[in-house]
mmCIF file of all heavy atoms in Angstrom:
data_model
loop_
_atom_site.group_PDB
_atom_site.id
_atom_site.type_symbol
_atom_site.label_atom_id
_atom_site.label_comp_id
_atom_site.label_asym_id
_atom_site.label_seq_id
_atom_site.Cartn_x
_atom_site.Cartn_y
_atom_site.Cartn_z
ATOM 1 N N ALA A 1 58.312 -31.093 33.806
ATOM 2 C CA ALA A 1 59.652 -30.891 34.375
ATOM 3 C C ALA A 1 60.305 -29.632 33.822
ATOM 4 O O ALA A 1 60.984 -28.897 34.555
ATOM 5 C CB ALA A 1 60.522 -32.120 34.084
ATOM 6 N N GLY A 2 60.119 -29.369 32.518
ATOM 7 C CA GLY A 2 60.719 -28.177 31.926
ATOM 8 C C GLY A 2 60.135 -26.885 32.467
ATOM 9 O O GLY A 2 60.864 -25.916 32.726
ATOM 10 N N LEU A 3 58.811 -26.842 32.655
ATOM 11 C CA LEU A 3 58.192 -25.640 33.213
ATOM 12 C C LEU A 3 58.628 -25.416 34.657
ATOM 13 O O LEU A 3 58.728 -24.267 35.118
ATOM 14 C CB LEU A 3 56.670 -25.759 33.135
ATOM 15 C CG LEU A 3 56.056 -25.714 31.733
ATOM 16 C CD1 LEU A 3 54.556 -25.945 31.803
ATOM 17 C CD2 LEU A 3 56.354 -24.387 31.054
ATOM 18 N N GLU A 4 58.871 -26.490 35.387
ATOM 19 C CA GLU A 4 59.361 -26.357 36.762
ATOM 20 C C GLU A 4 60.781 -25.802 36.780
ATOM 21 O O GLU A 4 61.159 -25.038 37.668
ATOM 22 C CB GLU A 4 59.309 -27.733 37.442
ATOM 23 C CG GLU A 4 59.696 -27.724 38.906
ATOM 24 C CD GLU A 4 58.606 -27.182 39.807
ATOM 25 O OE1 GLU A 4 57.511 -26.846 39.304
ATOM 26 O OE2 GLU A 4 58.838 -27.103 41.021
ATOM 27 N N ARG A 5 61.572 -26.168 35.779
ATOM 28 C CA ARG A 5 62.982 -25.729 35.720
ATOM 29 C C ARG A 5 63.133 -24.346 35.093
ATOM 30 O O ARG A 5 64.106 -23.640 35.373
ATOM 31 C CB ARG A 5 63.775 -26.748 34.890
ATOM 32 C CG ARG A 5 65.268 -26.452 34.743
ATOM 33 C CD ARG A 5 66.006 -26.657 36.040
ATOM 34 N NE ARG A 5 67.438 -26.503 35.872
ATOM 35 C CZ ARG A 5 68.083 -25.327 35.911
ATOM 36 N NH1 ARG A 5 67.367 -24.212 36.109
ATOM 37 N NH2 ARG A 5 69.378 -25.260 35.754
ATOM 38 N N LEU A 6 62.169 -23.928 34.308
ATOM 39 C CA LEU A 6 62.296 -22.721 33.494
ATOM 40 C C LEU A 6 62.598 -21.445 34.283
ATOM 41 O O LEU A 6 63.461 -20.658 33.860
ATOM 42 C CB LEU A 6 61.018 -22.534 32.667
ATOM 43 C CG LEU A 6 60.986 -21.334 31.717
ATOM 44 C CD1 LEU A 6 62.072 -21.459 30.663
ATOM 45 C CD2 LEU A 6 59.610 -21.209 31.054
ATOM 46 N N PRO A 7 61.941 -21.146 35.388
ATOM 47 C CA PRO A 7 62.175 -19.849 36.048
ATOM 48 C C PRO A 7 63.626 -19.607 36.449
ATOM 49 O O PRO A 7 64.064 -18.449 36.489
ATOM 50 C CB PRO A 7 61.263 -19.911 37.284
ATOM 51 C CG PRO A 7 60.191 -20.878 36.914
ATOM 52 C CD PRO A 7 60.865 -21.908 36.070
ATOM 53 N N THR A 8 64.380 -20.642 36.751
ATOM 54 C CA THR A 8 65.763 -20.471 37.198
ATOM 55 C C THR A 8 66.776 -20.775 36.114
ATOM 56 O O THR A 8 67.981 -20.706 36.376
ATOM 57 C CB THR A 8 66.037 -21.381 38.401
ATOM 58 O OG1 THR A 8 65.804 -22.756 38.032
ATOM 59 C CG2 THR A 8 65.133 -21.011 39.571
ATOM 60 N N TYR A 9 66.305 -21.099 34.917
ATOM 61 C CA TYR A 9 67.246 -21.450 33.839
ATOM 62 C C TYR A 9 67.493 -20.212 32.980
ATOM 63 O O TYR A 9 66.592 -19.734 32.289
ATOM 64 C CB TYR A 9 66.681 -22.591 32.995
ATOM 65 C CG TYR A 9 67.643 -23.068 31.932
ATOM 66 C CD1 TYR A 9 68.793 -23.762 32.274
ATOM 67 C CD2 TYR A 9 67.397 -22.805 30.585
ATOM 68 C CE1 TYR A 9 69.679 -24.196 31.302
ATOM 69 C CE2 TYR A 9 68.278 -23.230 29.610
ATOM 70 C CZ TYR A 9 69.419 -23.924 29.976
ATOM 71 O OH TYR A 9 70.304 -24.342 29.022
ATOM 72 N N ARG A 10 68.709 -19.697 33.021
ATOM 73 C CA ARG A 10 69.071 -18.476 32.307
ATOM 74 C C ARG A 10 70.335 -18.705 31.491
ATOM 75 O O ARG A 10 71.448 -18.457 31.946
ATOM 76 C CB ARG A 10 69.291 -17.317 33.292
ATOM 77 C CG ARG A 10 68.073 -16.983 34.143
ATOM 78 C CD ARG A 10 67.014 -16.290 33.324
ATOM 79 N NE ARG A 10 65.803 -16.027 34.101
ATOM 80 C CZ ARG A 10 64.743 -15.396 33.619
ATOM 81 N NH1 ARG A 10 64.738 -14.982 32.376
ATOM 82 N NH2 ARG A 10 63.680 -15.212 34.371
ATOM 83 N N PRO A 11 70.224 -19.188 30.268
ATOM 84 C CA PRO A 11 71.424 -19.417 29.445
ATOM 85 C C PRO A 11 72.052 -18.090 29.021
ATOM 86 O O PRO A 11 71.352 -17.074 28.880
ATOM 87 C CB PRO A 11 70.883 -20.191 28.248
ATOM 88 C CG PRO A 11 69.436 -19.845 28.187
ATOM 89 C CD PRO A 11 68.997 -19.614 29.591
ATOM 90 N N PRO A 12 73.362 -18.076 28.792
ATOM 91 C CA PRO A 12 74.038 -16.811 28.443
ATOM 92 C C PRO A 12 73.724 -16.305 27.041
ATOM 93 O O PRO A 12 73.832 -15.110 26.777
ATOM 94 C CB PRO A 12 75.519 -17.161 28.579
ATOM 95 C CG PRO A 12 75.586 -18.644 28.408
ATOM 96 C CD PRO A 12 74.311 -19.184 28.956
ATOM 97 N N ARG A 13 73.378 -17.202 26.117
ATOM 98 C CA ARG A 13 73.094 -16.783 24.740
ATOM 99 C C ARG A 13 71.803 -17.445 24.280
ATOM 100 O O ARG A 13 71.548 -18.615 24.577
ATOM 101 C CB ARG A 13 74.228 -17.183 23.782
ATOM 102 C CG ARG A 13 75.525 -16.452 24.010
ATOM 103 C CD ARG A 13 76.554 -16.899 22.987
ATOM 104 N NE ARG A 13 76.147 -16.597 21.631
ATOM 105 C CZ ARG A 13 76.330 -15.419 21.020
ATOM 106 N NH1 ARG A 13 76.930 -14.433 21.681
ATOM 107 N NH2 ARG A 13 75.944 -15.223 19.783
ATOM 108 N N LEU A 14 70.991 -16.687 23.560
ATOM 109 C CA LEU A 14 69.732 -17.213 23.033
ATOM 110 C C LEU A 14 69.596 -16.833 21.561
ATOM 111 O O LEU A 14 69.951 -15.720 21.165
ATOM 112 C CB LEU A 14 68.535 -16.669 23.809
ATOM 113 C CG LEU A 14 68.323 -17.219 25.215
ATOM 114 C CD1 LEU A 14 67.233 -16.444 25.929
ATOM 115 C CD2 LEU A 14 67.973 -18.705 25.168
ATOM 116 N N PRO A 15 69.063 -17.726 20.742
ATOM 117 C CA PRO A 15 68.867 -17.416 19.322
ATOM 118 C C PRO A 15 67.558 -16.676 19.097
ATOM 119 O O PRO A 15 66.854 -16.322 20.032
ATOM 120 C CB PRO A 15 68.823 -18.817 18.689
ATOM 121 C CG PRO A 15 68.198 -19.655 19.758
ATOM 122 C CD PRO A 15 68.660 -19.097 21.075
ATOM 123 N N ARG A 16 67.248 -16.433 17.838
ATOM 124 C CA ARG A 16 65.924 -15.924 17.468
ATOM 125 C C ARG A 16 64.882 -16.930 17.934
ATOM 126 O O ARG A 16 65.145 -18.107 18.014
ATOM 127 C CB ARG A 16 65.865 -15.744 15.951
ATOM 128 C CG ARG A 16 64.556 -15.161 15.429
ATOM 129 C CD ARG A 16 64.490 -13.674 15.694
ATOM 130 N NE ARG A 16 63.230 -13.108 15.238
ATOM 131 C CZ ARG A 16 63.019 -12.627 14.026
ATOM 132 N NH1 ARG A 16 63.982 -12.667 13.125
ATOM 133 N NH2 ARG A 16 61.865 -12.102 13.694
ATOM 134 N N MET A 17 63.657 -16.492 18.211
ATOM 135 C CA MET A 17 62.637 -17.320 18.859
ATOM 136 C C MET A 17 63.125 -17.678 20.260
ATOM 137 O O MET A 17 63.073 -18.832 20.709
ATOM 138 C CB MET A 17 62.334 -18.586 18.065
ATOM 139 C CG MET A 17 62.215 -18.396 16.566
ATOM 140 S SD MET A 17 60.742 -17.475 16.085
ATOM 141 C CE MET A 17 59.478 -18.645 16.449
ATOM 142 N N ALA A 18 63.619 -16.644 20.983
ATOM 143 C CA ALA A 18 64.338 -16.868 22.237
ATOM 144 C C ALA A 18 63.469 -17.524 23.306
ATOM 145 O O ALA A 18 63.943 -18.400 24.046
ATOM 146 C CB ALA A 18 64.887 -15.541 22.744
ATOM 147 N N GLN A 19 62.204 -17.135 23.410
ATOM 148 C CA GLN A 19 61.348 -17.690 24.460
ATOM 149 C C GLN A 19 61.137 -19.189 24.266
ATOM 150 O O GLN A 19 61.189 -19.977 25.219
ATOM 151 C CB GLN A 19 60.006 -16.958 24.487
ATOM 152 C CG GLN A 19 59.150 -17.269 25.699
ATOM 153 C CD GLN A 19 57.896 -16.422 25.759
ATOM 154 O OE1 GLN A 19 57.627 -15.616 24.851
ATOM 155 N NE2 GLN A 19 57.113 -16.562 26.812
ATOM 156 N N PHE A 20 60.925 -19.580 23.016
ATOM 157 C CA PHE A 20 60.760 -21.004 22.741
ATOM 158 C C PHE A 20 62.068 -21.749 22.984
ATOM 159 O O PHE A 20 62.064 -22.838 23.580
ATOM 160 C CB PHE A 20 60.306 -21.196 21.293
ATOM 161 C CG PHE A 20 60.184 -22.634 20.886
ATOM 162 C CD1 PHE A 20 58.997 -23.316 21.064
ATOM 163 C CD2 PHE A 20 61.258 -23.320 20.332
ATOM 164 C CE1 PHE A 20 58.874 -24.651 20.698
ATOM 165 C CE2 PHE A 20 61.148 -24.647 19.969
ATOM 166 C CZ PHE A 20 59.954 -25.312 20.146
ATOM 167 N N ALA A 21 63.179 -21.190 22.505
ATOM 168 C CA ALA A 21 64.467 -21.862 22.654
ATOM 169 C C ALA A 21 64.817 -22.052 24.128
ATOM 170 O O ALA A 21 65.324 -23.109 24.529
ATOM 171 C CB ALA A 21 65.554 -21.065 21.941
ATOM 172 N N ARG A 22 64.552 -21.041 24.953
ATOM 173 C CA ARG A 22 64.837 -21.166 26.383
ATOM 174 C C ARG A 22 63.963 -22.230 27.032
ATOM 175 O O ARG A 22 64.419 -23.009 27.872
ATOM 176 C CB ARG A 22 64.624 -19.815 27.060
ATOM 177 C CG ARG A 22 64.847 -19.839 28.564
ATOM 178 C CD ARG A 22 64.819 -18.439 29.152
ATOM 179 N NE ARG A 22 64.653 -18.509 30.593
ATOM 180 C CZ ARG A 22 63.613 -18.050 31.269
ATOM 181 N NH1 ARG A 22 62.620 -17.477 30.617
ATOM 182 N NH2 ARG A 22 63.540 -18.154 32.578
ATOM 183 N N LEU A 23 62.679 -22.286 26.648
ATOM 184 C CA LEU A 23 61.782 -23.295 27.197
ATOM 185 C C LEU A 23 62.236 -24.701 26.805
ATOM 186 O O LEU A 23 62.309 -25.604 27.652
ATOM 187 C CB LEU A 23 60.357 -23.051 26.697
ATOM 188 C CG LEU A 23 59.336 -24.159 26.986
ATOM 189 C CD1 LEU A 23 59.158 -24.350 28.479
ATOM 190 C CD2 LEU A 23 58.000 -23.846 26.309
ATOM 191 N N ALA A 24 62.520 -24.910 25.516
ATOM 192 C CA ALA A 24 62.955 -26.227 25.068
ATOM 193 C C ALA A 24 64.280 -26.622 25.718
ATOM 194 O O ALA A 24 64.485 -27.792 26.078
ATOM 195 C CB ALA A 24 63.086 -26.247 23.550
ATOM 196 N N ALA A 25 65.182 -25.651 25.888
ATOM 197 C CA ALA A 25 66.451 -25.943 26.553
ATOM 198 C C ALA A 25 66.226 -26.298 28.022
ATOM 199 O O ALA A 25 66.904 -27.180 28.573
ATOM 200 C CB ALA A 25 67.388 -24.745 26.433
ATOM 201 N N ALA A 26 65.265 -25.631 28.674
ATOM 202 C CA ALA A 26 64.939 -25.967 30.066
ATOM 203 C C ALA A 26 64.364 -27.379 30.163
ATOM 204 O O ALA A 26 64.622 -28.106 31.133
ATOM 205 C CB ALA A 26 63.951 -24.951 30.632
ATOM 206 N N ILE A 27 63.568 -27.777 29.170
ATOM 207 C CA ILE A 27 63.041 -29.147 29.149
ATOM 208 C C ILE A 27 64.188 -30.146 29.047
ATOM 209 O O ILE A 27 64.213 -31.166 29.753
ATOM 210 C CB ILE A 27 62.060 -29.308 27.970
ATOM 211 C CG1 ILE A 27 60.793 -28.482 28.233
ATOM 212 C CG2 ILE A 27 61.712 -30.774 27.743
ATOM 213 C CD1 ILE A 27 59.824 -28.464 27.069
ATOM 214 N N ALA A 28 65.157 -29.847 28.169
ATOM 215 C CA ALA A 28 66.310 -30.740 28.042
ATOM 216 C C ALA A 28 67.158 -30.731 29.307
ATOM 217 O O ALA A 28 67.629 -31.772 29.768
ATOM 218 C CB ALA A 28 67.146 -30.318 26.832
ATOM 219 N N GLU A 29 67.347 -29.546 29.887
ATOM 220 C CA GLU A 29 68.167 -29.418 31.101
ATOM 221 C C GLU A 29 67.543 -30.158 32.273
ATOM 222 O O GLU A 29 68.254 -30.691 33.135
ATOM 223 C CB GLU A 29 68.355 -27.943 31.436
ATOM 224 C CG GLU A 29 69.304 -27.652 32.591
ATOM 225 C CD GLU A 29 70.756 -27.890 32.234
ATOM 226 O OE1 GLU A 29 71.075 -27.967 31.023
ATOM 227 O OE2 GLU A 29 71.580 -28.003 33.167
ATOM 228 N N ALA A 30 66.214 -30.188 32.325
ATOM 229 C CA ALA A 30 65.539 -30.883 33.420
ATOM 230 C C ALA A 30 65.772 -32.390 33.364
ATOM 231 O O ALA A 30 65.667 -33.074 34.386
ATOM 232 C CB ALA A 30 64.035 -30.590 33.373
ATOM 233 N N GLN A 31 66.108 -32.907 32.187
ATOM 234 C CA GLN A 31 66.363 -34.342 32.045
ATOM 235 C C GLN A 31 67.814 -34.698 32.319
ATOM 236 O O GLN A 31 68.115 -35.770 32.842
ATOM 237 C CB GLN A 31 65.978 -34.802 30.631
ATOM 238 C CG GLN A 31 64.546 -34.495 30.245
ATOM 239 C CD GLN A 31 63.543 -35.023 31.236
ATOM 240 O OE1 GLN A 31 63.547 -36.213 31.567
ATOM 241 N NE2 GLN A 31 62.684 -34.134 31.737
#
């Protein structure tokens, strides 16, 4: 579900390890 949501999920701020943080946030957002 997170990989399906990832391409359109663009948060305004990202921390260090940004690619991982965006992926994990997309997984949470998909739920």
Side-chain angles (χ1 to χ4, degrees):
L3 291 176
E4 184 76 2
R5 181 71 174 85
L6 182 62
T8 59
Y9 184 70
R10 300 287 177 178
R13 292 182 62 84
L14 287 172
R16 182 76 182 270
M17 317 290 290
Q19 191 174 3
F20 177 89
R22 178 172 164 244
L23 170 62
I27 291 174
E29 186 72 17
Q31 304 306 306

